[in-house]
Amino acid sequence: MTNTREDHWPAPVASTPLDAAVRVPGSKSITNRAYVLAALASAPTRVRRPLDSRDTRLMLGALAALGAHSEETADGFLVHPRGTTSGRADEVTVTLGNAGTVARFTPALAALGDAAVLFDGDDAIRRRPIGPLLTALRKLGARIDDDGRGAPPFTVHGAGGLRGGRVDLDSSASSQFLSALLLAGPAFDQGVTIRLVGGAPPSEPHIAMTVDMLRRFGATVDRSEAEFRVGPAKLSCPEYVVEPDLSTAAPFVAAAVVSGGTVRVHGWPKQTTQPGDWMRSLLPALGAKVTLDDDGLVVTGGSAIPGAELDLHEVGELTPVIAAVLCFAEGPSTISGVAHLRGHETDRLTALATELSSLGAGVAETEDGLRITPAPLHGGVFHTYEDHRLVMAAAVLGLRVPGVLVENPATVGKTFPEFVETWRDLVG
């Protein structure tokens, strides 16, 4: 990545209240879970309206390396169950990029196969936590070599199956550790029983999403307090339709609040497990009017944005956009419960405090979040640390701050390759 001004995107300013409508692509979280479950199914699955982005292409590539091939269709992909990887090479390589779902959801599938599989990716993925998941997989019968790093690169030696059974798991750093074992559990000889230790996982909605999707593919999932049980099962789901990504919709919803205008997000589901749906309950507290009808969500911003105290533990991925909105509030705000964001694509708390403060806002890190004191803002370069959510936060900030230059906007291709063009159309 270079740092020339030619590589920066001038975030467009909303000179008048917005009056616009938008469609966002499919949910990354749902898309990649659907692909993994399809790879474990007993027959092909047609995944319709999936997200097409770097992370989802990396997932399809990883599954292909593990023997589950896919074919592109008119509105998605037909994913075939995993086959054999033997005879192809002494070692199969899975390219992770900086995709947390790929790094965490696919090692268990490699343990089910019959090849040595090397997992590696971008420098950033080597800094993201995965050690507790590898420890749990070893206890369930997997052989994994990582030279004690607890991070990529590591090699999973397939033995044709995995015993499974009961295991303790510390999923406090990421709910994806728990989801990874739950998703693969139906393919283990004994299924899997997971007892959570070390504190509650963040992002309960993502856990609910995993459980719901497992059941839709035919698995039996039992949950009691801090214990989950998935029995061995023959999975099947001939067709799966992916919902729009509500976390990706967050900056567009925020645009209505910041501009004092109206934005409709087409296709917003009336019932969903996506954490992005939490925005609906938050918006009235930020002075906005919200209506959900058969065509989607309509948000109209108010005359002012109140300060707020928000615990975002369950919806941490919304923090960058919400922090940008709160820079325009009438009073101080606090975001808490999101210490785990230090282990995301970048240390999001440090990045947000640094970049928002560099443009004039009073933003300081706390032990588990941010303290935001509104102040006059000015233009300048907003560094994005190869993090798609920071590009979206910078775009929201630029609606009311002339001269915001967003570094490396192409990094948003992780979840929404057409974000910049769609945002330009929104602002007009």
Side-chain angles (χ1 to χ4, degrees):
M1 181 178 68
T2 60
N3 289 312
T4 64
R5 290 297 176 100
E6 289 75 13
D7 295 317
H8 297 348
W9 169 46
V13 176
S15 55
T16 60
L18 298 180
D19 185 4
V22 66
R23 291 186 184 276
V24 297
S27 162
K28 181 190 76 170
S29 298
I30 294 176
T31 296
N32 276 353
R33 282 167 172 77
Y35 288 160
V36 169
L37 289 169
L40 293 171
S42 58
T45 303
R46 187 175 299 276
V47 181
R48 299 182 56 220
R49 302 177 196 164
L51 173 65
D52 187 5
S53 72
R54 186 190 187 210
D55 274 21
T56 59
R57 291 279 178 167
L58 285 168
M59 179 62 84
L60 288 174
L63 295 175
L66 298 175
H69 298 278
S70 58
E71 305 168 31
E72 192 160 2
T73 64
D75 63 349
F77 285 87
L78 182 67
V79 182
H80 295 271
R82 63 185 183 88
T84 180
T85 54
S86 62
R88 297 170 51 195
D90 292 335
E91 187 175 81
V92 175
T93 297
V94 167
T95 301
L96 303 174
N98 189 20
T101 51
V102 182
R104 290 149 179 174
F105 291 175
T106 58
L109 275 65
L112 299 172
D114 48 18
V117 183
L118 171 66
F119 292 81
D120 201 6
D122 299 350
D123 287 342
I125 201 69
R126 296 182 177 187
R127 299 189 295 269
R128 300 182 68 178
I130 194 172
L133 173 62
L134 300 184
T135 297
L137 285 171
R138 289 187 180 103
K139 292 178 180 177
L140 293 170
R143 178 187 162 202
I144 303 171
D145 295 330
D146 66 350
D147 293 331
R149 285 183 301 270
F154 57 85
T155 299
V156 179
H157 299 272
L162 204 59
R163 179 185 68 251
R166 179 176 291 274
V167 69
D168 288 350
L169 173 70
D170 183 351
S171 196
S172 59
S174 174
S175 65
Q176 289 179 358
F177 301 163
L178 173 59
S179 285
L181 296 182
L182 292 174
L183 290 168
F188 298 168
D189 295 343
Q190 301 174 23
V192 66
T193 300
I194 305 160
R195 185 171 74 96
L196 294 177
V197 296
S203 195
E204 171 65 31
H206 278 119
I207 299 170
M209 176 187 295
T210 297
V211 170
D212 175 71
M213 293 183 67
L214 276 162
R215 288 170 174 160
R216 289 183 62 180
F217 271 78
T220 299
V221 186
D222 296 314
R223 177 179 186 178
S224 59
E225 296 298 328
E227 189 165 289
F228 293 76
R229 162 71 180 165
V230 180
K234 184 177 181 180
L235 301 180
S236 177
C237 184
E239 179 178 281
Y240 195 100
V241 181
V242 178
E243 298 173 357
D245 194 316
L246 305 188
S247 294
T248 293
F252 298 95
V253 167
V257 178
V258 168
S259 76
T262 297
V263 173
R264 174 183 287 275
V265 181
H266 291 295
W268 195 290
K270 291 188 174 181
Q271 291 187 329
T272 180
T273 57
Q274 289 191 64
D277 190 47
W278 182 85
M279 288 291 289
R280 280 199 296 138
S281 62
L282 166 68
L283 290 167
L286 297 180
K289 179 183 177 182
V290 183
T291 303
L292 182 62
D293 59 28
D294 291 339
D295 187 42
L297 189 74
V298 180
V299 179
T300 300
S303 58
I305 302 171
E309 294 188 7
L310 304 174
D311 182 344
L312 303 187
H313 183 262
E314 306 299 347
V315 289
E317 63 195 45
L318 301 179
T319 297
V321 162
I322 293 172
V325 171
L326 293 175
C327 287
F328 302 111
E330 290 186 314
S333 300
T334 300
I335 294 174
S336 63
V338 291
H340 58 283
L341 294 188
R342 293 191 172 94
H344 278 220
E345 281 79 348
T346 187
D347 180 339
R348 283 180 172 165
L349 297 183
T350 297
L352 286 166
T354 300
E355 298 308 315
L356 293 172
S357 295
S358 75
L359 300 187
V363 181
E365 290 185 66
T366 65
E367 183 179 351
D368 68 340
L370 298 169
R371 185 170 56 252
I372 302 170
T373 304
L377 299 172
H378 56 77
V381 175
F382 192 104
H383 300 95
T384 54
Y385 308 84
E386 300 184 11
D387 188 331
H388 56 135
R389 301 295 180 199
L390 290 178
V391 174
M392 296 177 182
V396 170
L397 205 70
L399 290 172
R400 282 174 55 172
V401 182
V404 174
L405 300 175
V406 186
E407 178 195 51
N408 191 22
T411 196
V412 85
K414 179 181 177 69
T415 48
F416 192 176
E418 295 81 28
F419 175 79
V420 169
E421 293 77 12
T422 305
W423 191 262
R424 283 175 177 152
D425 290 343
L426 177 88
V427 181

